[in-house]
Amino acid sequence: MTDRARLLTNFIQTAGWGDAARVTIAGDASNRRYERLTKPDASTLILMDAPAEKGEDVRPFIAIAEHLRGIGLSAPAIVNRDVKGGFLLIEDLGDDLFKQVIAQDSTLEEPLYAAAIDVLTTLHAAPLPPLEAYDTATMTNFAARAYEWYLFGLTGVQDTPQEAEFKTQMAALLAPLETVSQVLIQRDYHAENLLWLPDREGAARVGLLDFQDAMQGHAAYDLVSILQDARRDVPPSIEDAMIKRYLAQNPQDEDAFRAAYASLGLQRNLRILGAFARLCIVAGKPRYIDLIPRVWEFVERNLAHPALAPIAPHIRATLPPPTPDALAILKSKCAA
């Protein structure tokens, strides 16, 4: 047994869950690991194992979870914690992820997305807790990962003049978004991080996961995150209906909001493009390459917005589309 395994076992026993059965459950792209603990009486909790030596820190998860619960949203309750060790026992919100619920009953797709929009309205109406800003420089550098990893994977070249020019143009596009009121953005708000809790009421019917990387940013960001989902197709009719729902609940200039939505959609999907290429090249996870065509479709969709006319020619001239040959090249660079 490793030292960490001993620490984990001691944490579980000290918390009074030493008699629980342990089953590993699906994780994510991070170094966090999750188990479901089930006692003989069938009560359950989720164990989060977030090792600091691998860059994980449970404190942001705790802080954001407590904030979300404090405004009436369904983040998991923290039942036991070992902050130094990187272990948490948290409320088990079940397995009914939006993606799976919709796959089983397509008539629930629009109601579930509507509930997710209601969560954002509740969240954006609440006071903003202390958070780092998802500012122009940060967003620009994240978007540039499309050049650092996706283009690098295809060409073997980094730090190009084309990337430098992209950063200049992207910063000019994003800078005006900092002048409007900022809100808490969860940044990974999508159908595989949301759980359906129909026995609860209102916005609390949506269980929230994977929010520890929250920052302060533009209100359109989490709409982009859930409606331009790299992992599932959201019908354009639902995307448009949910934007309209949000605007009806949060009246503002629609043209300006949709322009911001397109700009943030471009930023987010370029970041994901680079992240997926990196997960293959560095972490040996080729399955992410199969998601790139959908991400590229979002890039093109956002570039079609008139507000992005100044940057669209440069991106189209410098980032190759993910043709089958291009995807094969990326997979060939995948780490063993």
Side-chain angles (χ1 to χ4, degrees):
M1 182 182 291
T2 65
D3 288 343
R4 184 155 190 85
R6 279 192 288 270
L7 289 172
L8 187 154
T9 299
N10 183 65
F11 169 69
I12 294 172
Q13 291 175 342
T14 302
W17 283 73
D19 60 345
R22 296 166 51 182
V23 177
T24 300
I25 57 177
D28 51 30
S30 75
N31 289 308
R32 294 182 298 274
R33 193 177 62 84
Y34 300 90
E35 294 181 8
R36 173 171 280 117
L37 308 186
T38 305
K39 280 193 167 187
D41 65 2
S43 59
T44 64
L45 288 178
I46 300 298
L47 167 72
M48 179 192 294
D49 176 4
E53 63 270 20
K54 293 186 178 180
E56 298 296 331
D57 184 353
V58 298
R59 290 173 298 179
F61 183 92
I62 294 169
I64 302 302
E66 291 177 346
H67 172 75
L68 295 172
R69 288 177 58 79
I71 61 174
L73 297 176
S74 291
I78 311 297
V79 178
N80 290 90
R81 66 190 76 186
D82 176 356
V83 172
K84 183 178 179 181
F87 302 119
L88 296 179
L89 285 179
I90 64 176
E91 178 185 8
D92 184 357
L93 296 178
D95 294 314
D96 289 336
L97 292 170
F98 271 34
K99 184 174 181 178
Q100 296 169 359
V101 172
I102 294 167
Q104 293 166 2
D105 184 354
S106 61
T107 66
L108 290 174
E109 184 169 32
E110 187 158 353
L112 264 62
Y113 277 95
I117 296 302
D118 297 347
V119 167
L120 296 182
T121 290
T122 300
L123 180 59
H124 297 170
L128 182 64
L131 291 167
E132 292 186 20
Y134 201 42
D135 58 18
T136 296
T138 303
M139 287 193 288
T140 297
N141 287 334
F142 276 142
R145 291 181 178 177
Y147 288 82
E148 294 168 6
W149 291 105
Y150 173 72
L151 186 62
F152 167 70
L154 294 176
T155 67
V157 178
Q158 286 182 312
D159 298 321
T160 64
Q162 292 83 2
E163 180 183 339
E165 176 59 24
F166 164 78
K167 287 183 175 181
T168 298
Q169 293 189 23
M170 193 73 195
L173 179 71
L174 295 173
L177 303 186
E178 290 190 57
T179 65
V180 302
S181 179
Q182 305 289 280
V183 300
L184 185 155
I185 57 173
Q186 297 170 73
R187 297 177 58 212
D188 276 311
Y189 191 68
H190 57 75
E192 291 188 18
N193 280 338
L194 302 178
L195 290 156
W196 186 229
L197 308 173
D199 293 338
R200 302 189 184 187
E201 296 184 359
R205 293 177 298 166
V206 180
L208 305 175
L209 304 172
D210 204 13
F211 43 71
Q212 62 279 341
D213 294 326
M215 301 179 79
Q216 58 173 298
H218 193 283
Y221 189 87
D222 278 349
L223 271 78
V224 168
S225 182
I226 190 168
L227 299 176
Q228 295 189 0
D229 190 335
R231 294 167 176 81
R232 76 175 302 269
D233 293 321
V234 178
S237 60
I238 288 184
E239 181 181 14
D240 187 60
M242 294 305 112
I243 294 172
K244 289 178 178 175
R245 183 181 184 89
Y246 182 82
L247 289 169
Q249 295 173 349
N250 303 273
Q252 57 193 283
D253 184 293
E254 180 173 353
D255 289 342
F257 186 84
R258 286 183 179 271
Y261 179 91
S263 297
L264 293 167
L266 176 67
Q267 184 275 336
R268 176 175 172 79
N269 285 293
L270 289 175
R271 178 186 69 79
I272 292 171
L273 187 66
F276 284 177
R278 184 182 183 278
L279 282 166
C280 176
I281 295 168
V282 174
K285 297 179 178 180
R287 67 184 183 275
Y288 287 98
I289 300 302
D290 296 331
L291 302 176
I292 283 179
R294 182 184 290 113
V295 176
W296 186 262
E297 180 183 340
F298 295 141
V299 170
E300 288 286 6
R301 187 187 305 177
N302 291 308
L303 287 177
H305 192 283
L308 276 64
I311 198 172
H314 181 76
I315 292 175
R316 289 182 174 133
T318 56
L319 285 180
T323 62
D325 287 346
L327 296 176
I329 290 172
L330 288 173
K331 284 191 175 181
S332 74
K333 305 291 179 64
C334 201

